[in-house]
């Protein structure tokens, strides 16, 4: 039996209508930007394997770090124990994160990093004796993950509608003016404002000006609430700066990291907070403890790969590669302006095609995905929004080839 037949017998894939979806790609190995299939095809990973891969697949230095760590310590409980990879990664993150983010809390993925941020914000106010600060303000078109809190904070959409009875209400706003009105009208009730800085990803690859990120910081200060920056997608260079908040030269009170954190190797989440937040949990009263944790919190294998990834950023001028990639994407997407709204930031380029039924369920998405795949390019359009987000290690000629396929299929 082929891998596909065996898969079909026992598996259930994410974000996949199992009745109508095409057969999954049977991947046997991967290297750099290329995926190799059981039936002998070579396919360019144009979505960085759901936005996680940054230095390329099967990177020798990351492989070596993982293997070395596996020989030393694979995992140990993180309540009551600590280990070198967790400590070293936290030290390295605190060094490079926006100023003031000095405490690292580990979890397992992007959604849990967001859950932790929401819970941390809520309990921060509770521990300070302000339990009425319990609402969250988020932006329309947001996507923060698929666990219940992260879904609640996301846009009300086809992703979340079936679960609406499980979710808590949030205040969704359209932009700064709307946000200011809500903050003014609801004094002392907002626990935090949560945004994806600079780039809203799953909501349609929407690029925001840096002034909005700076404006959110200003409003949070003015109305004395917390700012949470969800950098799960944008962190680690994806928008051209190490962290997207750097575009606006601001520091949030809490930030969420995952995806590129381990360069696409292993699941790991980080929620980093200021000392002010951390201090609010210090108490003789054990009820003020942050009661949150996961079996695999601070997994040493994941931490070791994350450290090796930061070494690559330091030693191999990775951000300069992202900046070169950005220029190629700008040039390559230029002709697509005739077809719809084009946006490019860092290592991400997108075109929102004119459509009668814009949105995730626009049938054009799967049709285009099949056409790209036919030409050896893996893309997963978000409905009518076609985007290209390759690993940063992509070469100039690989980029040119991929852009040629995109223009050919769309043109
Ligand atoms: C901005 C943002 N936050 C959170 C998440 C959730 O991350 P995960 O899929 O690792 O749970 C994603 C995933 O795409 C994301 O783009």
């Amino acid at each position: 039996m082929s891998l596909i037949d065996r898969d079909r017998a026992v598996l259930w894939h994410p974000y996949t209508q199992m009745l109508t979806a095409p057969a999954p790609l049977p991947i046997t190995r991967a290297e750099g930007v290329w995926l190799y299939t059981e039936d002998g095809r070579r396919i360019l990973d144009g979505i960085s394997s759901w936005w996680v891969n940054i230095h390329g697949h099967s990177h020798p230095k990351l492989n070596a770090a993982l293997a070395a760590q596996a020989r030393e310590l694979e995992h140990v409980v993180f309540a009551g124990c600590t280990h070198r990879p967790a400590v070293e990664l936290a030290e390295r993150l605190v060094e490079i994160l926006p100023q003031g983010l000095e405490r690292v809390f580990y979890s397992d993925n992007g959604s849990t990093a967001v859950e932790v941020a929401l819970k941390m914000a809520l309990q921060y106010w509770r521990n300070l004796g302000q339990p009425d600060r319990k609402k969250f303000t988020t932006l329309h078109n947001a996507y923060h993950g698929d666990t219940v809190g992260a879904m609640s904070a996301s846009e009300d959409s086809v992703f979340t509608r079936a679960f609406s009875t499980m979710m808590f209400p949030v205040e969704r706003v359209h932009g700064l003016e709307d946000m200011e009105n809500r903050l003014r009208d609801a004094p002392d009730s907002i626990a935090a404002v949560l945004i994806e800085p600079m780039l809203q990803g799953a909501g349609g690859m929407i690029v925001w000006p840096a002034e909005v990120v700076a404006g959110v910081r200003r409003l949070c200060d003015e109305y004395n609430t917390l700012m949470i920056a969800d950098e799960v997608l944008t962190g680690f260079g994806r928008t051209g700066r190490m962290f997207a908040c750097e575009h606006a030269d601001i520091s949030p009170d809490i930030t969420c990291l995952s995806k590129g954190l381990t360069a696409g190797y292993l699941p790991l989440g980080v929620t980093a907070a200021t000392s002010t937040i951390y201090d609010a949990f210090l108490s003789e009263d054990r009820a003020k403890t942050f009661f949150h944790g996961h079996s695999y919190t601070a997994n040493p294998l994941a931490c070791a790969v994350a450290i090796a990834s930061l070494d690559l950023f330091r030693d191999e001028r990775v951000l300069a590669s992202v900046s070169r990639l950005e220029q190629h994407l700008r040039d390559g997407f230029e002709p697509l302006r005739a077809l719809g709204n084009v946006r490019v930031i860092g290592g991400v380029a997108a075109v929102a095609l004119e459509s009668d039924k814009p949105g995730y369920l626009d049938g054009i998405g799967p049709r285009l995905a099949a056409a790209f795949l036919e030409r050896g390019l893996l893309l997963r359009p978000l409905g009518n929004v076609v985007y290209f987000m390759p690993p940063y290690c992509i070469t100039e000629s690989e980029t040119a080839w991929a852009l040629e396929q995109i223009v050919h299929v769309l043109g």
Side-chain angles (χ1 to χ4, degrees):
M1 273 218 305
S2 75
L3 206 50
I4 294 175
D5 292 335
R6 289 166 58 198
D7 174 292
R8 281 281 152 102
V10 291
L11 278 166
W12 191 347
H13 287 261
Y15 279 85
T16 301
Q17 176 41 258
M18 297 300 290
L19 184 67
T20 53
L25 289 173
I27 307 297
T28 48
R29 69 183 186 90
E31 197 176 335
V33 295
W34 297 101
L35 308 172
Y36 296 86
T37 66
E38 192 181 44
D39 52 355
R41 285 177 288 162
R42 184 176 90 139
I43 295 162
L44 193 143
D45 184 354
I47 52 166
S48 296
S49 285
W50 252 351
W51 319 348
V52 298
N53 196 293
I54 56 182
H55 308 301
H57 292 274
S58 198
H59 191 289
K61 290 189 178 161
L62 302 181
N63 291 353
L66 178 57
Q69 185 57 46
R71 283 192 293 271
E72 227 170 70
L73 171 69
E74 83 303 339
H75 188 66
V76 66
V77 54
F78 204 60
C81 292
T82 193
H83 47 78
R84 185 196 54 79
V87 174
E88 192 174 325
L89 177 57
E91 288 169 349
R92 296 280 296 272
L93 287 173
V94 168
E95 243 171 59
I96 59 170
L97 276 167
Q99 184 129 33
L101 294 168
E102 292 172 342
R103 284 285 161 181
V104 168
F105 191 97
Y106 290 112
S107 63
D108 294 353
N109 55 60
S111 301
T112 57
V114 170
E115 295 291 333
V116 167
L118 298 173
K119 289 172 73 172
M120 214 177 242
L122 214 55
Q123 194 179 341
Y124 165 77
W125 291 113
R126 189 180 180 81
N127 284 359
L128 289 186
Q130 299 186 52
D132 289 339
R133 279 196 176 270
K134 57 189 176 199
K135 285 194 200 150
F136 293 96
T137 300
T138 65
L139 284 174
H140 278 290
N141 298 310
Y143 177 80
H144 295 288
D146 285 352
T147 49
V148 173
M151 274 198 300
S152 304
S154 303
E155 180 61 282
D156 167 28
S157 77
V158 65
F159 297 169
T160 62
R161 223 152 276 152
F163 318 108
S164 57
T165 50
M166 302 168 77
M167 286 153 41
F168 54 80
V170 301
E171 305 259 357
R172 290 190 192 91
V173 300
H174 288 283
L176 282 182
E177 204 183 314
D178 201 9
M179 188 178 287
E180 176 148 30
N181 291 338
R182 300 291 179 92
L183 289 171
R184 193 189 306 110
D185 293 348
D188 306 325
S189 71
I190 308 292
V193 175
L194 166 62
I195 64 160
E196 291 157 271
M198 301 304 292
L199 175 66
Q200 288 185 307
M205 295 298 156
I206 302 164
V207 177
W208 289 80
E211 291 72 34
V212 172
V213 179
V216 172
R217 177 69 276 178
R218 181 180 50 78
L219 289 178
C220 288
D221 288 341
E222 201 172 323
Y223 293 93
N224 185 32
T225 191
L226 300 177
M227 175 180 179
I228 305 173
D230 175 353
E231 297 234 25
V232 167
L233 163 61
T234 55
F236 304 97
R238 190 57 79 178
T239 67
R241 308 291 293 265
M242 197 60 171
F243 300 102
C245 283
E246 293 174 23
H247 289 278
D249 205 14
I250 60 105
S251 291
D253 300 289
I254 301 178
T255 200
C256 310
L257 310 172
S258 187
K259 293 199 186 274
L261 171 62
T262 61
Y265 265 58
L266 285 158
L268 182 68
V270 156
T271 307
T274 60
S275 302
T276 309
I277 291 177
Y278 174 76
D279 288 349
F281 290 76
L282 304 179
S283 173
E284 295 294 330
D285 177 0
R286 287 181 65 201
K288 290 192 171 177
T289 304
F290 190 44
F291 288 112
H292 187 104
H294 301 277
S295 317
Y296 285 100
T297 294
N299 175 255
L301 301 170
C303 291
V305 178
I307 294 165
S309 170
L310 292 180
D311 288 344
L312 290 177
F313 272 99
R314 188 191 55 204
D315 302 338
E316 301 192 357
R317 295 180 40 79
V318 173
L319 290 179
S321 309
V322 181
S323 148
R324 276 193 301 275
L325 173 60
E326 176 168 359
Q327 196 49 54
H328 295 145
L329 295 179
R330 282 190 192 288
D331 296 344
F333 266 60
E334 199 51 40
L336 301 179
R337 288 193 186 278
L339 303 176
N341 187 272
V342 167
R343 38 247 188 181
V344 178
I345 184 168
V348 186
V351 55
L353 301 171
E354 307 283 346
S355 164
D356 299 335
K357 196 187 166 210
Y360 190 80
L361 293 184
D362 188 334
I364 197 173
R367 286 201 300 280
L368 288 173
F372 292 125
L373 199 54
E374 186 99 330
R375 305 182 72 82
L377 177 61
L378 177 63
L379 297 184
R380 283 178 58 93
L382 296 157
N384 63 313
V385 178
V386 176
Y387 70 92
F388 179 48
M389 192 193 296
Y392 311 156
C393 66
I394 191 168
T395 64
E396 198 173 332
S397 61
E398 288 164 341
T399 307
W401 176 84
L403 290 169
E404 221 175 89
Q405 312 315 310
I406 293 171
V407 171
H408 181 91
V409 168
L410 297 182

